[in-house]
């Protein structure tokens, strides 16, 4: 079994994982994407996002079926696949079933429940998306994973507009890069610092 080390490991496939990994790489992290590049139903989007990830230096380990997660206290240490062990300073669970979270012993029901409410404002907003019903905002707190200091998740689901999920994935990728560099626990991170960085990058919050 080969061992791989990176700053930020992103687990999942589809647009959220690709966007999160690319954002982390652009923010200066050595990012590794664990999953396929496919995006169901939109081959063009898949190709564009995959090319952006490649150009920014994102490494990829395709079809990585995570068998177990190595956890020490409040930190994830590594994910173990069939032929590789991936160690990272920080993890992003962008998988549809929250595989990292589940295999770290945290049930899905323990995750924060995020349901977008049009025109609701948050003090820690990190992404916004305009819908026909109004502007939806994503708070940083909705990306935190209970009991883990070095992991974030990307809120998704039928109630979350795709545009907001993509914007959220970008913000989570930037946050992961900053947290991997600083070593801070995710819950202690000042969302104002992230918001300032996102605005510098052109995000509209």
């Amino acid at each position: 079994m080969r061992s791989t080390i990176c700053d930020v490991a992103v687990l999942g496939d589809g647009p959220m994982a690709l966007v999160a990994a690319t954002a982390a790489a652009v923010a200066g992290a050595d990012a590794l994407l664990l999953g396929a590049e496919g995006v169901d139903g939109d081959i063009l989007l898949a190709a564009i996002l995959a090319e952006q990830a490649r150009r920014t230096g994102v490494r990829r380990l395709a079809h990585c079926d995570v068998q177990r997660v190595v956890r020490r206290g409040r930190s994830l240490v590594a994910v173990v696949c069939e032929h590789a062990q991936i160690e990272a300073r920080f993890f992003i669970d962008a998988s549809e079933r929250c595989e990292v979270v589940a295999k770290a012993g945290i049930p899905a029901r323990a995750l924060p429940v995020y349901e977008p409410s049009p025109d609701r404002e948050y003090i820690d907003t990190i992404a916004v998306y305009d819908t026909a019903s109004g502007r939806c905002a994503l708070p940083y707190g909705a990306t935190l994973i209970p009991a883990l200091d070095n992991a974030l998740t990307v809120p998704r689901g039928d109630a979350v507009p795709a545009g907001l999920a993509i914007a959220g994935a970008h913000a989570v990728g930037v946050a992961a890069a900053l947290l991997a560099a600083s070593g801070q626990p995710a819950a202690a991170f000042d969302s104002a610092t992230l918001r300032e960085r996102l605005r510098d990058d052109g995000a509209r919050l």
Side-chain angles (χ1 to χ4, degrees), residues 64-134:
C64 179
D65 182 18
V66 175
Q67 297 179 338
R68 64 186 179 90
V69 173
V70 181
R71 176 183 174 187
R72 292 179 188 153
R74 294 183 58 88
S75 295
L76 295 182
V77 178
V79 293
V80 180
C81 302
E82 184 178 359
H83 301 296
Q85 175 171 300
I86 298 89
E87 299 178 18
R89 294 180 180 177
F90 206 90
F91 294 83
I92 296 174
D93 193 340
S95 64
E96 187 171 357
R97 298 180 302 278
C98 288
E99 292 177 30
V100 168
V101 173
K103 290 180 179 175
I106 301 172
R109 64 179 179 275
L111 293 174
V113 177
Y114 169 69
E115 294 183 0
S117 178
D119 296 325
R120 180 177 177 180
E121 299 292 335
Y122 301 93
I123 193 172
D124 60 342
T125 292
I126 58 172
V128 297
Y129 183 72
D130 291 320
T131 70
S133 302

Side-chain angles (χ1 to χ4, degrees), residues 5 7 9 13 17 40 42 54-55 58 79 98 100 102 134 139 141 155-156 161 192 197 202-203:
I5 300 174
D7 294 329
D13 51 27
D40 292 340
D42 197 331
R54 187 189 67 79
R55 286 177 178 269
V58 173
V79 293
C98 288
V100 168
R156 58 195 298 177
R197 175 61 180 267

Side-chain angles (χ1 to χ4, degrees), residues 16 19-20 23-24 27 92 124-128 138-140 143 152-154 164-179 189 194-195 197-198 201 203 205:
M16 271 70 81
V19 169
I92 296 174
D124 60 342
T125 292
I126 58 172
V128 297
L138 174 69
Y140 175 69
T143 70
L152 292 173
T153 188
V154 180
L164 183 61
I166 292 291
H170 176 268
V172 166
V174 174
L178 297 177
L179 287 163
F189 187 49
L194 175 58
R195 287 162 56 86
R197 175 61 180 267
L198 293 170
D201 291 342
L205 300 176

